[in-house]
Amino acid sequence: MSEMLNHEFFGVGIFHADAHPGNKLISDDGRIAQLDFGCIKVRPRRLMDAHVASVMAVLARDDAATLSALRDMGLYKDGLDPQPMLAYWKSMCRPILEDGPFGDDSDGGSGGETFFKHLTNLTRAGYLHFPPDTAFGLRVMLGNNAVFRTLGVTRINWRRHAIDFFENHLATGRRIREQLENEHLIAV
């Protein structure tokens, strides 16, 4: 399922934006079916490219490139101390920074509570901005975490999943996106 999410979100840029356990069906042979297509989001290419750049920069542990990508995503505005935003983004990306199993119990069981507290504090302090195109992305990431919990998946090596996707599968999604754009089925 993480491969499907990465392909939709980072590769093609068209994703099911109502990710919760009631909208996924897993067949006996392990295939995953999406249900209820009332909330589909097409990501602007500039946002997709910036988001991929942010993840690649975090994987490379390159703070300057991370901050540049966050600026391009519209999440960070110049003129503020970059350290709180960098710390937030690294905490968001923590699962892909650790080469080993990572799951809900990795943060002492606080799960979403710690995430939302940090998010709220940064937003109130003016460090974090949410352009309209980023809100559904957050919803999808949190919703898919709920799906994993419902399925009993508690420990995944997210770093290996991310590296495998970016090295071996991102190009396939990008080719699909280009074909959709060339056929004018979605806007560039």
Side-chain angles (χ1 to χ4, degrees):
M1 195 162 77
S2 65
E3 292 89 353
M4 180 176 66
L5 173 62
N6 284 336
H7 181 71
E8 291 178 4
F9 199 72
F10 293 109
V12 180
I14 301 173
F15 61 92
H16 190 280
D18 193 12
H20 64 77
N23 278 344
K24 306 268 191 228
L25 179 66
I26 300 177
S27 66
D28 291 337
D29 65 359
R31 290 183 294 164
I32 300 170
Q34 302 267 30
L35 306 173
D36 185 4
F37 291 94
C39 192
I40 300 295
K41 180 72 177 154
V42 177
R43 297 181 85 196
R45 180 177 277 280
R46 63 163 181 76
L47 182 59
M48 282 178 28
D49 292 343
H51 203 155
V52 168
S54 78
V55 173
M56 299 301 288
V58 166
L59 283 169
R61 293 173 167 41
D62 183 338
D63 287 353
T66 300
L67 198 59
S68 177
L70 293 173
R71 188 180 304 109
D72 291 346
M73 289 171 66
L75 293 176
Y76 174 75
K77 303 267 188 237
D78 284 326
L80 296 172
D81 175 9
Q83 293 312 310
M85 189 59 199
L86 287 169
Y88 164 74
W89 200 250
K90 288 175 186 176
S91 74
M92 285 283 294
C93 294
R94 192 174 116 213
I96 65 169
L97 292 173
E98 298 179 12
D99 192 13
F102 187 91
D104 285 343
D105 60 349
S106 299
D107 66 353
S110 61
E113 182 181 330
T114 300
F115 167 79
F116 281 110
K117 185 176 181 181
H118 199 180
L119 182 74
T120 300
N121 290 339
L122 282 172
T123 304
R124 285 185 180 153
Y127 280 98
L128 186 60
H129 304 271
F130 281 101
D133 288 321
T134 61
F136 279 107
L138 181 59
R139 178 180 176 174
V140 166
M141 295 303 172
L142 296 173
N144 275 290
N145 285 341
V147 172
F148 284 121
R149 282 192 303 277
T150 299
L151 293 173
V153 177
T154 57
R155 304 203 48 85
I156 297 174
N157 189 324
W158 289 111
R159 179 176 175 82
R160 293 193 188 202
H161 278 273
I163 290 170
D164 175 64
F165 174 77
F166 287 111
E167 287 180 354
N168 300 312
H169 306 289
L170 177 63
T172 300
R174 292 301 173 99
R175 282 193 298 274
I176 293 169
R177 174 67 179 237
E178 285 178 21
Q179 183 177 356
L180 292 170
E181 290 172 352
N182 290 339
E183 294 177 13
H184 305 289
L185 297 173
I186 60 174
V188 178

